[in-house]
Amino acid sequence: MKTLFRGVRLLDPASGRDSLGSLLVVSGRIAAVDPAEPPSDAAVVEGEGLALCPGLIDLRVGLREPGEEHKESLATLSSRAVAGGITTLVALPDTLQPLDQPALVEFVSRRAASFGCVTVLPMGAATKGCAGKELAEMGLLREAGAVAFSDGRRPIADARTMRLALAYAASFGSMVVQHPEEPSLVSGAVATEGPLASSLGLPSAPAAAEAILVARDIRLAELTGGHVHFGPVSTGEALDLIRSAKAKGLRVTCDTAPPYFDLNETAIGEWRTYARLSPPLRAEEDRLAVLASLADGTIDAIGSDHQPQDTDAKRLPFALSEPGGVGVETLLAVTLTLVHNGQLPLLDAIALLTSRPAALLGLDAGRLAVGAPADLCLFDPDRAWQIRAEELLGPSRNTPHDGRAVQGRVVGTWKAGHRVFG
Amino acid sequence: MAEGGFGRRIGCRRHLLGIAGLEPRAIAGVLDLAETYISLARQGGARDVLRGRTVLNLFFESSTRTRTSFELAAKRLGADVIAMSPPASAMSKGESLLDTATTLNAMAIDVLVVRHDQSGTAALLAQNVDATVINAGDGAHEHPTQALVDALTIRRRRGTLAGLTVAICGDVMHSRVARSNVRLMTMMGSRVRICAPPTLLPAGAAAWGVEVFTDMRAALRGADVVMMLRLQRERMTRSFVPSAREYFRFYGLDPEKLTLAKPDALVMHPGPMNRGVEIDSAVADDLAHSVIEEQVEMGVAVRMAVLDLLVRQV
């Protein structure tokens, strides 16, 4: 099976290419870029100047299967991911039944593969039950397909456990992904400490809770030689620590999620539970620091931090509602606002969604190179639309960006050469 | 307050969700109306502006004086009053809160008076019920009728709120009474001071337009009004303060500390008091200063005025 993309603006951050051209796909892989004599039997996709980039790699997705399929199954996740141009997603292991058994890791990737839309790469639990006490069977989990280790949204609180996890994971070449909030400081908090939370009377924690844990874990990475990855990072102070750790040559990386550069805490407004996130939305100065760290390269990737919650979990008094927002369908559009605002060059923005997360995990995907899998995203960088919660694919529609006007829309998505969206 | 109206409009009704958003003129208006209800009550008169209306007191948190005073206020205005105090356990996760709202809609309740331990609950209900909602305390957010009660008590003693120095002392961080009073008093031109141990001061409180103190003596110096807040036992177990006796030593209002305030300073407390924790009995019962009992009397009149104004606008 052959497909020829003609008249497309090829965006390939790995090679730095941004120009009109064509791309030939044969048997699920990229066979040629700008083929001189394209085969006459290829199906043709006329780009008409639309942008074609590698299928997006979403580094941070919360799963609800197994256990909470009413919030989202792997089937619904797959269809909304490809609607957002995503062809590979990295899943957090803190499902209701945490991914601390090789069979569960294998179940998730196999079941997702059965839909043929998107590759799901699960992280394995760093500790048994993601409970932060005893190490999980990292070696066996890795053999079953785990691409990194984490306790998901639960920070690994105990310094000794974190030290052991970093040291042990390093022997498999795996990174430990840490949710950057010092747990005892943020216990019970639902907002960032400051005038807004005080005036709403919401339990809050200082933004410094992030830097406090990041500082500890950078030191532990140095001690063990392990690779620590923080995400989603949301404060300038933590980003400063990460920037200087990188300058020292330590194995420290991080990601952030669109709410942390697109919104600040005022999005809570009057008790909008869709804006209750973990970490909580921050003050404007921290949002600006995240922007600056995207621009200077300190942040390695943008992940959606997709966390579906159903109506029952969100239609509650603010502090009783579950944290998290959906994000796979809006990942590209919200990221492109940075480009339209002149805050980030287009190729850099696409790199944060493709080649850079691929490099982090050593993936084959994320580039438009001959021989690479034909995972592709065709999009109109300029098309304006409005994010509306009720128009998202379900079942959970808890977007913190409800009502946001954005520019940039996915037109088609291809997985291994097959059109899976558009 | 003709064009502005009283209360916050959501849907086709007006609600009292907080002091935030009210105009000084609307506050003066409700206090004026409350004054007329005080005279009426003292003459044993009644007014049945709420005849045929149903008021539901929905208290998810225990309360004696606020609930009773709303009940009395509604009855004196001729309303039918129902009280519901769902057990905390059944509602502890709040999951059935909106089911309750649906039920109330079906029962065609006119006024819903609600207290809940979660900030924002009154607003959430106002968005989901057909009734007029009055916030009788939501978490650490607001307790607007208490602030109106306190304002009326002060105004009757001093003639005005403008220019007075009001010291609000105690667990400001967890206090909805403090938040509503700070909003109201600053809006009406008082100079407001807040005073708490550093562990019980809300972050960024300076942005409220108040002076912030951790030394109670400094906070009391020259104050016209001293408003004490209740300290919950739970604050000790969670280490906000080491012990009740240490708290009383440094933050309890005793006769000695009170000498720092103006000689005719008013002492207030929203109740219920923890004698020997935040206030000495010798101060609480000293009628030369304490207007704590008067606050309770004002409670009914203010709530009559609030009910009257809100229902009038339906």
Side-chain angles (χ1 to χ4, degrees):
Chain A
M1 199 183 127
K2 299 171 189 169
T3 310
L4 178 69
F5 294 84
R6 202 157 59 186
V8 283
R9 178 179 172 189
L10 293 175
L11 292 174
D12 182 33
S15 65
R17 171 157 186 176
D18 176 4
S19 60
L20 273 182
S22 59
L23 185 133
L24 178 67
V25 171
V26 177
S27 306
R29 293 202 168 254
I30 297 171
V33 180
D34 296 324
E37 288 173 22
S40 53
D41 58 343
V44 175
V45 176
E46 293 290 354
E48 294 169 342
L50 294 178
L52 187 72
C53 72
L56 308 186
I57 300 170
D58 185 345
L59 194 61
R60 176 173 299 279
V61 174
L63 296 184
R64 296 296 179 265
E65 181 176 351
E68 295 178 288
E69 290 82 356
H70 61 288
K71 291 184 176 176
E72 183 138 283
S73 64
L74 285 163
T76 60
L77 172 62
S78 299
S79 51
R80 48 200 309 192
V82 294
I86 295 162
T87 50
T88 301
L89 60 82
V90 181
L92 295 167
D94 58 336
T95 33
L96 195 63
Q97 166 75 62
L99 306 183
D100 62 356
Q101 298 292 325
L104 285 169
V105 168
E106 214 175 305
F107 161 78
V108 166
S109 45
R110 275 204 200 177
R111 179 149 175 83
S114 73
F115 305 114
C117 293
V118 56
T119 302
V120 172
L121 302 173
M123 294 185 200
T127 67
K128 288 178 185 148
C130 291
K133 300 272 189 286
E134 304 163 66
L135 292 190
E137 297 166 319
M138 292 190 194
L140 298 178
L141 291 168
R142 178 152 177 95
E143 282 180 358
V147 295
F149 297 97
S150 175
D151 280 353
R153 292 160 291 175
R154 292 180 221 168
I156 299 168
D158 184 72
R160 178 177 172 273
T161 306
M162 186 61 177
R163 177 196 181 176
L164 296 176
L166 280 166
Y168 194 70
S171 67
F172 302 104
S174 297
M175 62 186 189
V176 176
V177 177
Q178 173 77 307
H179 182 92
E181 289 191 288
E182 208 299 313
S184 68
L185 272 175
V186 304
S187 162
V190 300
T192 302
E193 197 170 281
L196 180 81
S198 290
S199 128
L200 291 173
L202 289 174
S204 59
E210 180 169 292
I212 289 169
L213 194 65
V214 165
R216 182 198 80 176
D217 289 347
I218 287 174
R219 191 65 191 80
L220 289 174
E222 189 175 15
L223 183 69
T224 57
H227 178 178
V228 65
H229 177 95
F230 300 104
V233 177
S234 60
T235 67
E237 204 187 341
L239 286 161
D240 288 344
L241 292 169
I242 292 165
R243 188 178 295 110
S244 53
K246 286 183 164 196
K248 278 173 77 179
L250 300 180
R251 298 172 74 194
V252 175
T253 53
C254 69
D255 67 79
T256 192
Y260 303 107
F261 57 79
D262 193 54
L263 301 170
N264 63 29
E265 60 185 353
T266 61
I268 293 172
E270 293 205 309
W271 327 105
R272 287 184 57 230
T273 57
Y274 280 10
R276 183 177 170 209
L277 306 176
S278 170
L281 288 169
R282 305 298 190 185
E284 176 65 2
E285 59 191 14
D286 278 321
R287 186 187 75 86
L288 295 174
V290 171
L291 275 181
S293 304
L294 286 166
D296 74 10
T298 302
I299 295 175
D300 298 275
I302 298 173
S304 67
D305 199 25
H306 181 75
Q307 297 289 353
Q309 299 293 357
D310 60 4
T311 310
D312 289 346
K314 284 291 191 183
R315 287 216 336 171
L316 288 172
F318 191 88
L320 296 179
S321 69
E322 293 287 338
V326 292
V328 287
E329 293 152 273
T330 52
L331 174 64
L332 179 64
V334 180
T335 301
L336 288 176
T337 60
L338 301 174
V339 178
H340 293 294
N341 293 340
Q343 288 151 331
L344 207 59
L346 178 59
L347 270 188
D348 289 4
I350 298 301
L352 286 159
L353 299 171
T354 57
S355 56
R356 295 189 66 193
L360 211 49
L361 293 170
L363 306 179
D364 198 17
R367 60 208 168 94
L368 298 182
V370 172
D375 292 356
L376 302 165
C377 168
L378 183 70
F379 68 100
D380 181 343
D382 298 316
R383 191 183 301 173
W385 60 292
Q386 189 186 26
I387 298 171
R388 294 168 63 88
E390 68 269 23
E391 287 170 9
L392 296 179
L393 299 170
S396 295
R397 299 185 173 86
N398 50 306
T399 172
H401 304 287
D402 191 19
R404 175 80 158 99
V406 288
Q407 252 184 298
R409 186 124 215 199
V410 177
V411 174
T413 307
W414 283 260
K415 179 70 186 173
H418 294 282
R419 189 162 194 159
V420 289
F421 173 74
Chain B
M1 59 179 170
E3 72 273 22
F6 177 72
R8 166 81 175 278
R9 181 175 287 283
I10 294 176
C12 57
R13 285 177 186 259
R14 283 182 181 274
H15 312 271
L16 180 62
L17 304 179
I19 297 296
L22 293 181
E23 302 278 329
R25 209 160 46 139
I27 290 170
V30 73
L31 299 184
D32 292 343
L33 184 60
E35 295 267 12
T36 69
Y37 278 121
I38 293 168
S39 336
L40 192 73
R42 287 184 177 167
Q43 291 155 14
R47 200 182 277 182
D48 57 356
V49 294
L50 259 62
R51 178 182 297 280
R53 310 270 192 176
T54 310
V55 175
L56 175 68
N57 276 337
L58 183 60
F59 278 63
F60 293 94
E61 244 186 12
S62 66
S63 155
T64 310
R65 73 184 68 195
T66 304
R67 206 186 71 181
T68 312
S69 111
F70 265 110
E71 191 163 331
L72 270 174
K75 283 187 169 154
R76 287 193 184 157
L77 293 173
D80 296 319
V81 185
I82 307 167
M84 254 175 79
S85 304
S89 56
M91 293 285 196
S92 61
K93 285 216 73 184
E95 53 270 276
S96 46
L97 189 67
L98 290 180
D99 289 342
T100 308
T102 313
T103 311
L104 298 180
N105 284 344
M107 295 196 285
I109 300 287
D110 295 291
V111 180
L112 177 64
V113 178
V114 65
R115 168 171 290 190
H116 197 282
D117 67 354
Q118 291 293 323
S119 302
T121 309
L124 182 65
L125 280 168
Q127 287 156 9
N128 289 282
V129 298
D130 298 333
T132 294
V133 174
I134 299 175
N135 183 3
D138 64 327
H141 177 230
E142 284 240 36
H143 189 355
T145 57
Q146 181 65 46
L148 290 167
V149 165
D150 296 346
L152 183 63
T153 310
I154 298 171
R155 202 179 77 166
R156 282 171 63 87
R157 288 293 190 120
R158 290 287 181 272
T160 178
L161 292 166
L164 298 181
T165 298
V166 180
I168 302 176
C169 306
D171 182 4
V172 180
M173 178 185 275
H174 300 96
S175 175
R176 52 195 174 217
V177 173
R179 282 172 180 74
S180 288
N181 265 315
V182 164
R183 287 183 174 112
L184 189 151
M185 304 293 161
T186 52
M187 201 188 302
M188 302 306 275
S190 307
R191 286 189 301 270
V192 180
R193 299 171 175 175
I194 59 173
C195 175
T199 48
L200 290 172
L201 269 178
W208 293 352
V210 299
E211 278 185 275
V212 181
F213 293 81
T214 51
D215 174 355
M216 186 153 168
R217 290 162 190 280
L220 292 186
R221 204 153 287 141
D224 295 284
V225 178
V226 183
M227 211 177 261
M228 299 306 299
L229 303 171
R230 178 178 165 78
L231 183 79
Q232 307 214 342
R233 291 272 156 196
E234 175 204 322
R235 308 302 172 221
M236 261 81 81
T237 56
R238 293 206 55 212
S239 270
F240 286 102
V241 292
S243 71
R245 69 175 186 181
E246 174 146 331
Y247 184 81
F248 182 66
R249 171 80 180 78
F250 293 95
Y251 294 96
L253 185 62
D254 57 24
E256 192 267 320
K257 289 195 195 85
L258 185 58
T259 59
L260 294 163
K262 287 217 175 124
D264 60 347
L266 303 179
V267 172
M268 308 181 74
H269 192 296
M273 285 183 279
N274 288 310
R275 292 165 183 265
V277 179
E278 70 262 359
I279 192 161
D280 192 322
S281 280
V283 173
D285 302 333
D286 174 7
L287 294 181
H289 294 284
S290 172
V291 290
I292 296 169
E293 214 177 295
E294 211 168 308
Q295 286 174 273
V296 181
E297 187 195 350
M298 298 302 119
V300 179
V302 162
R303 283 160 186 131
M304 287 171 82
V306 166
L307 283 165
D308 183 359
L309 282 173
L310 288 173
V311 171
R312 226 188 255 181
Q313 295 175 100
V314 171

PDB file of all heavy atoms in Angstrom, chain A residues 396-409:
ATOM      1  N   SER A 396     -15.504  11.782  29.000  1.00  0.00           N
ATOM      2  CA  SER A 396     -15.205  12.865  29.936  1.00  0.00           C
ATOM      3  C   SER A 396     -14.798  14.112  29.153  1.00  0.00           C
ATOM      4  O   SER A 396     -14.023  14.026  28.214  1.00  0.00           O
ATOM      5  CB  SER A 396     -14.065  12.440  30.872  1.00  0.00           C
ATOM      6  OG  SER A 396     -14.481  11.369  31.687  1.00  0.00           O
ATOM      7  N   ARG A 397     -15.332  15.252  29.560  1.00  0.00           N
ATOM      8  CA  ARG A 397     -15.095  16.470  28.776  1.00  0.00           C
ATOM      9  C   ARG A 397     -14.577  17.608  29.641  1.00  0.00           C
ATOM     10  O   ARG A 397     -14.803  18.774  29.365  1.00  0.00           O
ATOM     11  CB  ARG A 397     -16.397  16.904  28.092  1.00  0.00           C
ATOM     12  CG  ARG A 397     -16.943  15.866  27.133  1.00  0.00           C
ATOM     13  CD  ARG A 397     -18.160  16.357  26.385  1.00  0.00           C
ATOM     14  NE  ARG A 397     -18.555  15.393  25.363  1.00  0.00           N
ATOM     15  CZ  ARG A 397     -19.339  14.345  25.570  1.00  0.00           C
ATOM     16  NH1 ARG A 397     -19.826  14.130  26.782  1.00  0.00           N
ATOM     17  NH2 ARG A 397     -19.637  13.516  24.602  1.00  0.00           N
ATOM     18  N   ASN A 398     -13.853  17.256  30.680  1.00  0.00           N
ATOM     19  CA  ASN A 398     -13.430  18.248  31.666  1.00  0.00           C
ATOM     20  C   ASN A 398     -12.202  19.033  31.209  1.00  0.00           C
ATOM     21  O   ASN A 398     -11.129  18.908  31.771  1.00  0.00           O
ATOM     22  CB  ASN A 398     -13.153  17.557  33.006  1.00  0.00           C
ATOM     23  CG  ASN A 398     -12.240  16.351  32.901  1.00  0.00           C
ATOM     24  OD1 ASN A 398     -12.483  15.429  32.124  1.00  0.00           O
ATOM     25  ND2 ASN A 398     -11.165  16.353  33.665  1.00  0.00           N
ATOM     26  N   THR A 399     -12.363  19.871  30.189  1.00  0.00           N
ATOM     27  CA  THR A 399     -11.218  20.671  29.741  1.00  0.00           C
ATOM     28  C   THR A 399     -11.115  21.981  30.518  1.00  0.00           C
ATOM     29  O   THR A 399     -12.106  22.695  30.665  1.00  0.00           O
ATOM     30  CB  THR A 399     -11.301  20.977  28.235  1.00  0.00           C
ATOM     31  OG1 THR A 399     -10.255  21.917  27.936  1.00  0.00           O
ATOM     32  CG2 THR A 399     -12.629  21.607  27.830  1.00  0.00           C
ATOM     33  N   PRO A 400      -9.902  22.299  30.989  1.00  0.00           N
ATOM     34  CA  PRO A 400      -9.736  23.609  31.634  1.00  0.00           C
ATOM     35  C   PRO A 400      -9.733  24.749  30.623  1.00  0.00           C
ATOM     36  O   PRO A 400      -9.775  25.910  31.007  1.00  0.00           O
ATOM     37  CB  PRO A 400      -8.364  23.481  32.323  1.00  0.00           C
ATOM     38  CG  PRO A 400      -7.634  22.428  31.579  1.00  0.00           C
ATOM     39  CD  PRO A 400      -8.666  21.489  31.028  1.00  0.00           C
ATOM     40  N   HIS A 401      -9.662  24.418  29.316  1.00  0.00           N
ATOM     41  CA  HIS A 401      -9.578  25.453  28.274  1.00  0.00           C
ATOM     42  C   HIS A 401     -10.945  25.773  27.677  1.00  0.00           C
ATOM     43  O   HIS A 401     -11.015  26.385  26.604  1.00  0.00           O
ATOM     44  CB  HIS A 401      -8.645  24.996  27.153  1.00  0.00           C
ATOM     45  CG  HIS A 401      -7.264  24.629  27.600  1.00  0.00           C
ATOM     46  ND1 HIS A 401      -6.331  25.545  27.985  1.00  0.00           N
ATOM     47  CD2 HIS A 401      -6.668  23.416  27.747  1.00  0.00           C
ATOM     48  CE1 HIS A 401      -5.209  24.925  28.325  1.00  0.00           C
ATOM     49  NE2 HIS A 401      -5.403  23.632  28.208  1.00  0.00           N
ATOM     50  N   ASP A 402     -12.014  25.355  28.336  1.00  0.00           N
ATOM     51  CA  ASP A 402     -13.360  25.565  27.776  1.00  0.00           C
ATOM     52  C   ASP A 402     -13.561  27.038  27.390  1.00  0.00           C
ATOM     53  O   ASP A 402     -13.334  27.934  28.203  1.00  0.00           O
ATOM     54  CB  ASP A 402     -14.407  25.155  28.818  1.00  0.00           C
ATOM     55  CG  ASP A 402     -15.809  25.091  28.226  1.00  0.00           C
ATOM     56  OD1 ASP A 402     -15.934  24.998  26.987  1.00  0.00           O
ATOM     57  OD2 ASP A 402     -16.780  25.144  29.006  1.00  0.00           O
ATOM     58  N   GLY A 403     -13.965  27.247  26.142  1.00  0.00           N
ATOM     59  CA  GLY A 403     -14.233  28.616  25.693  1.00  0.00           C
ATOM     60  C   GLY A 403     -13.039  29.304  25.039  1.00  0.00           C
ATOM     61  O   GLY A 403     -13.179  30.376  24.458  1.00  0.00           O
ATOM     62  N   ARG A 404     -11.856  28.677  25.114  1.00  0.00           N
ATOM     63  CA  ARG A 404     -10.634  29.287  24.591  1.00  0.00           C
ATOM     64  C   ARG A 404     -10.680  29.321  23.063  1.00  0.00           C
ATOM     65  O   ARG A 404     -10.945  28.318  22.410  1.00  0.00           O
ATOM     66  CB  ARG A 404      -9.440  28.454  25.058  1.00  0.00           C
ATOM     67  CG  ARG A 404      -8.092  28.872  24.504  1.00  0.00           C
ATOM     68  CD  ARG A 404      -7.559  30.056  25.279  1.00  0.00           C
ATOM     69  NE  ARG A 404      -6.122  30.191  25.174  1.00  0.00           N
ATOM     70  CZ  ARG A 404      -5.500  31.032  24.329  1.00  0.00           C
ATOM     71  NH1 ARG A 404      -6.214  31.762  23.505  1.00  0.00           N
ATOM     72  NH2 ARG A 404      -4.191  31.111  24.326  1.00  0.00           N
ATOM     73  N   ALA A 405     -10.392  30.473  22.479  1.00  0.00           N
ATOM     74  CA  ALA A 405     -10.259  30.578  21.028  1.00  0.00           C
ATOM     75  C   ALA A 405      -8.828  30.216  20.666  1.00  0.00           C
ATOM     76  O   ALA A 405      -7.886  30.743  21.261  1.00  0.00           O
ATOM     77  CB  ALA A 405     -10.590  31.990  20.575  1.00  0.00           C
ATOM     78  N   VAL A 406      -8.656  29.302  19.727  1.00  0.00           N
ATOM     79  CA  VAL A 406      -7.317  28.841  19.356  1.00  0.00           C
ATOM     80  C   VAL A 406      -7.188  28.848  17.835  1.00  0.00           C
ATOM     81  O   VAL A 406      -8.166  29.037  17.107  1.00  0.00           O
ATOM     82  CB  VAL A 406      -7.046  27.414  19.890  1.00  0.00           C
ATOM     83  CG1 VAL A 406      -6.855  27.437  21.391  1.00  0.00           C
ATOM     84  CG2 VAL A 406      -8.162  26.461  19.500  1.00  0.00           C
ATOM     85  N   GLN A 407      -5.964  28.637  17.374  1.00  0.00           N
ATOM     86  CA  GLN A 407      -5.672  28.578  15.947  1.00  0.00           C
ATOM     87  C   GLN A 407      -4.827  27.363  15.685  1.00  0.00           C
ATOM     88  O   GLN A 407      -3.776  27.197  16.317  1.00  0.00           O
ATOM     89  CB  GLN A 407      -4.884  29.821  15.536  1.00  0.00           C
ATOM     90  CG  GLN A 407      -5.664  30.831  14.716  1.00  0.00           C
ATOM     91  CD  GLN A 407      -4.742  31.951  14.302  1.00  0.00           C
ATOM     92  OE1 GLN A 407      -4.208  32.646  15.154  1.00  0.00           O
ATOM     93  NE2 GLN A 407      -4.549  32.108  13.002  1.00  0.00           N
ATOM     94  N   GLY A 408      -5.271  26.513  14.753  1.00  0.00           N
ATOM     95  CA  GLY A 408      -4.503  25.321  14.426  1.00  0.00           C
ATOM     96  C   GLY A 408      -5.355  24.094  14.651  1.00  0.00           C
ATOM     97  O   GLY A 408      -5.757  23.822  15.777  1.00  0.00           O
ATOM     98  N   ARG A 409      -5.649  23.375  13.551  1.00  0.00           N
ATOM     99  CA  ARG A 409      -6.556  22.250  13.697  1.00  0.00           C
ATOM    100  C   ARG A 409      -6.036  21.045  12.924  1.00  0.00           C
ATOM    101  O   ARG A 409      -5.583  21.177  11.784  1.00  0.00           O
ATOM    102  CB  ARG A 409      -7.942  22.651  13.185  1.00  0.00           C
ATOM    103  CG  ARG A 409      -9.002  21.611  13.412  1.00  0.00           C
ATOM    104  CD  ARG A 409     -10.166  22.189  14.183  1.00  0.00           C
ATOM    105  NE  ARG A 409     -10.729  21.193  15.084  1.00  0.00           N
ATOM    106  CZ  ARG A 409     -11.937  21.274  15.608  1.00  0.00           C
ATOM    107  NH1 ARG A 409     -12.704  22.310  15.340  1.00  0.00           N
ATOM    108  NH2 ARG A 409     -12.368  20.349  16.419  1.00  0.00           N
TER     109      ARG A 409
END
